[in-house]
Structure formats: C-alpha cells, structure tokens
Amino acid sequence: MEILIYLVLPCVGSVFLLGGMFYAAYRMSGQGGISKHTVGIITAYILVCVAFSTLGNTWVNMAFMILFPLAAWRAFGTPGIYCLYYFILSVAVWLADIAGVLGLQIAMAEGLLSLNTPQLQYILMLVVTRMIEFMVILLVALAAGRKAGRHITLRQVVISVLLPLYSVFNMYAMLYLMQIYFTRNMVILFGVNLALLIGLNIYFCVLVDVMSENHRLENERNLYRAQARMQHRYYEQEEAKYEASRKLIHDIRNHIRAMEALYAGEDIRTDAAGNLSGDAFGDVGTDVCEERKAGENACRAERYAGDIHRMLNGFQQKYYTSEKLLNIILNDKARAMQRLGVREDMKVGELSLDFMKETDITALFANLLDNAVAAAGESSRKYVRLRVNRVRQFLSVTVENGCDTEPVKAAGAFRSRREGHEGLGLKIIRQTVEQYGGDLQMDWRDGVFTAKVMLAAE
C-alpha cells in the first residue's frame, strides 16, 4: 500500500505532467508531425526526470524544470526564441505547483478540507497540484495558439478549466469517502477512477485542439477557394482583354493597309495619252524630282507600316496549347518571365483538361509557375522549364527552375522563403493535387528546384 501511494502514484503523476508539458510545447511549435527522433528525446527526458523525482529533492526537481526548455527545443527543432516560450511554460507550471500546495495547506489549516490520515492528505495534495498544473498547461497552450493566430473560442477555454476543476472535486469526494472505508480495494478503485479521469482530461485536451485545427483548416480551405476564384477571374479578364485587343489589332491592320494602298496610289498622274500632267507640277524636270521624292516617301511609309505591324504582332498571344485557359495562364507567366529576365522554356503536349474545374486549373498552374518565376528571378540560373503531357491515364506536370538557396523544410514539406509569404501557394497546390487523387513531389538539388505533379486524368 505504501509503495502504491508514495511511489507508483507520484511516478504516474510526473509522467502525466511532463507529457502535458511536451504536448503544450508541441502545440506551440506548430509542427504537423512528430518524428522518431522527437519521441526518443521526449521518452528519455521523462524517464530520467521521473527516476530522479523519486529522490524527493525539491532542488533536483527544479533543475529538471529549468532543463525542460532545452529538451523541448532539442526535441522539436524549433528556433532558439522558442526556448523562451518553453521557459515561460515551465515557470507557469512551477508557480501553479507552489500555489496548489500552499492553497491546500491553507484550506486544511482553516478546516475547509479535512482528511484524517496523512496518506489521504498526500494523495489529495498530489492529485490537486497535478490537475492545477495541467489546467495551467492547457491555458498557456491556448494563449500561445491565439498569439499564433489560431481560433480560440470561449467554450474551449471553459472546457480547459472546468474539466480539471471537476477532476479535483471528484478526487476530493473519493478521498473523503475513503476516510470511512479505507481498504486495499478502495484504493484500487480510486486508482482506476484517477486513471479514467486522466484519460478524460487528455481526451478533452485533444478535442479542443481538434476543434481549433478544424476551424483553421476550414478557414484555409475558404481562403484557397477565394484565391482560386480571384485568380480565375483575373484570367477571365485577361481573356476578355485579349479578345478585345484582337479585334482592335484587326481593325488597326485594316486601317494601315488602307493607308498603304492610298499612299501607293499617290503617284504622278498622267493624261489619257500617258503624258505627264504639267498643269499640276510645272515642267518635266520638276515632275521627275517630285516623282523621285514621292518614291522615297513611299519606301519610308512602307518601312514605317512594317514597324507598326511588328509592334502589333507583339500583342498577340503565343500558342502553347489548345486549352484556352491554360494558354492564357502560360502567356501571362511568360510576360512575367520576360520582365524579370528569366529564360522561358514551356512546352505542352496534346491533352485535354476537361476533367478539371477551371478554378483548379488556375490554382495548380498559376501557383506552380508563380513560385518558379519568383525563385528563378532571384537565382543566378534564370530559367523556368515546364513540361505538360498526358501519360496514359495520368496528367504529368513538371516544373523546373533555378533556385540558388535550398528552400526551408518544415514537417517534411517545403515552405516559402519570401518575406510576408506563408507558403499559401504550395498549400493550394497540394490541396488541388489531393483533390484529384494525385501525387506531388518536390526536390532541390545543386541550385535547381523541381516540382512534379501526377493527376489521374479521368
């Protein structure tokens, strides 16, 4: 019985506390997954800390609380500034422990809480302090999430506070009844009840995070859709402008041809016999000079008209594919490459994109090329290479571009390095690929970034 109360129960409480602290640190880090390396560090730290906590030395326990920020920083691989956040978490837990112990001692001294055996008082002290610490951990994690822009509702905060408080009340009621009927079986039932309460607290903790994550994902999905619609409207406007410019260019060409014909017709007029009309120009010598001058003007006008034709040709779109929307997107990105001095190499095979929504075509190709053009514009290898082909029942899209610096990787995925960008384009690409049951692979090697997309074209 003594071993169960003074050894097993404190060890379980320490594992519960440290596990909660590492979970809060994980939520603060904002990572999407946990690696085996992370699990190994967390497990080793908890085992060592629990082993030393059996000594009952307050200074040793304080030392491990101070070392927690370093362990969490090492486990999650976050920037150094996160050590400060983890340290704040440690301090909050430590203060909650002190406040819980002092509060219980005062309550017992004033007769507000009364248990007739030291064993029951020790169990109450341990359970209450751990639950208070867990409540503080949840509140710190929620505060950090709100600071990071996550959606935190009042209901989430209430759940985080009420459930640990209910657990404290339940434990006190159980211990109060154990004063009357203190047996081994009663202690075992108390342990089962405590384990179930711990599981319930963990469940609601995860539930709160799931609620917050679902809200975040819903907001991201709405943001993706809004951006895709905006991009699609932009290319619809570009298509309308292109059609209008085609009509205008056609009319201007007709006007220029008419001017050329009129100018070519301003030759030296002759009479019915084929003689020069002297009444208009004077003598023959003057007429010859005027004829030569008119010929020079005609040549100059022809060259000028040719220059205008070449300028108008520059307004026409280049043909990449019979897919109208994709052709507009590629022409738009080609102009962006030209402005940045990026060499363009884009080829599209014979294919059909009827299986994709127009907004999804825009989301996929516009974001792929936007990222590629931005990276190539800052690279020493200023080029973008695009290949789009139909491979049996799949659509294959490969984008390759110069990229001097290796992109940032977080949770096994690349993120944007551009200031003020949170990698939204990459997220939209992944979401679009997943929507069509496809596969996205990205790789950086020797200053070249490659993105490969395979979609089921059915």
Side-chain angles (χ1 to χ4, degrees):
M1 186 72 69
E2 298 293 325
I3 294 176
L4 185 63
I5 295 175
Y6 292 107
L7 181 62
V8 176
L9 192 60
C11 289
V12 172
S14 297
V15 172
F16 175 67
L17 172 63
L18 293 172
M21 292 179 67
F22 275 109
Y23 185 76
Y26 165 74
R27 297 305 301 168
M28 290 180 184
S29 67
Q31 295 189 1
I34 299 179
S35 64
K36 293 181 179 179
H37 172 74
T38 301
V39 173
I41 292 177
I42 293 174
T43 303
Y45 180 85
I46 291 177
L47 290 177
V48 173
C49 188
V50 170
F52 276 92
S53 68
T54 58
L55 300 175
N57 191 311
T58 303
W59 295 105
V60 172
N61 294 336
M62 182 182 291
F64 274 98
M65 292 297 289
I66 294 174
L67 289 174
F68 170 79
L70 297 177
W73 168 71
R74 185 69 177 174
F76 299 115
T78 49
I81 187 63
Y82 278 80
C83 285
L84 176 60
Y85 306 150
Y86 303 149
F87 180 73
I88 293 173
L89 175 63
S90 296
V91 172
V93 171
W94 184 257
L95 292 176
D97 181 78
I98 296 174
V101 172
L102 289 177
L104 280 173
Q105 289 178 346
I106 293 172
M108 289 180 180
E110 294 294 329
L112 299 176
L113 299 174
S114 60
L115 296 173
N116 56 13
T117 64
Q119 291 89 347
L120 295 180
Q121 292 177 4
Y122 177 78
I123 294 173
L124 180 64
M125 187 80 67
L126 181 65
V127 171
V128 169
T129 52
R130 289 295 176 264
M131 285 300 169
I132 291 175
E133 289 163 353
F134 184 68
M135 181 175 61
V136 170
I137 288 171
L138 292 181
L139 292 176
V140 171
L142 289 175
R146 189 174 182 83
K147 186 70 175 177
R150 299 193 189 100
H151 180 74
I152 307 297
T153 64
L154 180 61
R155 185 173 67 169
Q156 292 171 305
V157 176
V158 170
I159 290 175
S160 301
V161 173
L162 284 184
L163 191 58
L165 289 178
Y166 165 75
S167 301
V168 170
F169 173 78
N170 183 275
M171 287 295 99
Y172 176 70
M174 289 285 294
L175 291 170
Y176 191 82
L177 293 174
M178 285 174 66
Q179 294 181 110
I180 304 170
Y181 190 66
F182 187 77
T183 63
R184 184 182 184 86
N185 291 337
M186 193 66 179
V187 173
I188 293 174
L189 287 175
F190 174 81
V192 172
N193 185 61
L194 178 60
L196 292 175
L197 276 177
I198 290 174
L200 190 62
N201 276 272
I202 293 173
Y203 170 76
F204 273 93
C205 173
V206 174
L207 182 62
V208 168
D209 281 335
V210 169
M211 291 166 56
S212 178
E213 187 68 12
N214 286 343
H215 190 275
R216 183 187 66 82
L217 291 175
E218 182 68 23
N219 284 342
E220 280 193 358
R221 187 179 66 174
N222 293 335
L223 186 61
Y224 299 159
R225 289 176 176 174
Q227 190 192 51
R229 286 194 296 269
M230 288 175 61
Q231 287 179 324
H232 185 61
R233 282 198 297 269
Y234 167 74
Y235 289 113
E236 282 183 335
Q237 293 171 359
E238 287 293 303
E239 181 181 0
K241 290 178 183 177
Y242 172 62
E243 291 299 326
S245 66
R246 283 184 60 189
K247 294 176 182 178
L248 180 61
I249 289 171
H250 179 74
D251 293 341
I252 293 175
R253 287 190 191 279
N254 289 336
H255 290 312
I256 293 174
R257 290 192 183 101
M259 291 170 62
E260 289 176 327
L262 287 173
Y263 200 95
E266 288 181 359
D267 203 349
I268 306 299
R269 288 180 295 175
T270 58
D271 56 17
N275 298 319
L276 295 172
S277 55
D279 57 343
F281 299 100
D283 56 19
V284 175
T286 303
D287 290 342
V288 171
C289 293
E290 291 293 335
E291 182 179 1
R292 183 180 303 143
K293 187 174 181 181
E296 291 175 355
N297 289 337
C299 292
R300 187 179 302 166
E302 184 178 354
R303 288 195 300 271
Y304 184 58
D307 291 339
I308 294 176
H309 280 299
R310 283 188 290 274
M311 289 172 60
L312 293 176
N313 288 335
F315 288 101
Q316 292 183 341
Q317 285 197 343
K318 183 178 177 180
Y319 178 85
Y320 292 99
T321 174
S322 58
E323 289 292 327
K324 196 172 183 181
L325 178 59
L326 180 57
N327 201 65
I328 292 172
I329 294 172
L330 297 185
N331 274 276
D332 180 66
K333 302 311 172 189
R335 290 193 293 270
M337 294 181 210
Q338 187 176 10
R339 289 194 298 269
L340 295 173
V342 175
R343 179 168 54 86
E344 169 249 312
D345 179 13
M346 297 190 292
K347 294 182 181 178
V348 181
E350 289 299 322
L351 51 84
S352 172
L353 298 179
D354 292 342
F355 70 98
M356 295 182 70
K357 297 178 182 177
E358 288 190 339
T359 52
D360 294 332
I361 295 173
T362 303
L364 179 63
F365 287 96
N367 283 290
L368 276 173
L369 290 171
D370 278 340
N371 291 338
V373 172
E378 300 174 354
S379 171
S380 58
R381 302 181 183 183
K382 293 183 178 294
Y383 81 97
V384 172
R385 181 177 179 271
L386 170 70
R387 294 293 183 269
V388 185
N389 291 290
R390 178 76 176 260
V391 181
R392 295 184 181 179
Q393 302 300 317
F394 296 92
L395 176 70
S396 172
V397 182
T398 302
V399 181
E400 182 183 289
N401 60 271
C403 181
D404 292 341
T405 307
E406 182 177 6
V408 178
K409 259 191 176 182
F414 289 105
R415 297 181 63 180
S416 176
R417 274 186 177 273
R418 287 185 287 169
E419 186 177 354
H421 290 72
E422 298 299 329
L424 181 61
L426 292 177
K427 292 180 181 178
I428 294 175
I429 293 169
R430 289 193 189 94
Q431 187 186 54
T432 306
V433 170
E434 291 172 359
Q435 182 178 342
Y436 289 90
D439 179 61
L440 170 64
Q441 295 181 358
M442 292 183 286
D443 183 51
W444 180 89
R445 186 175 300 173
D446 299 329
V448 176
F449 186 84
T450 306
K452 295 182 180 179
V453 174
M454 291 289 288
L455 299 181
E458 295 179 350

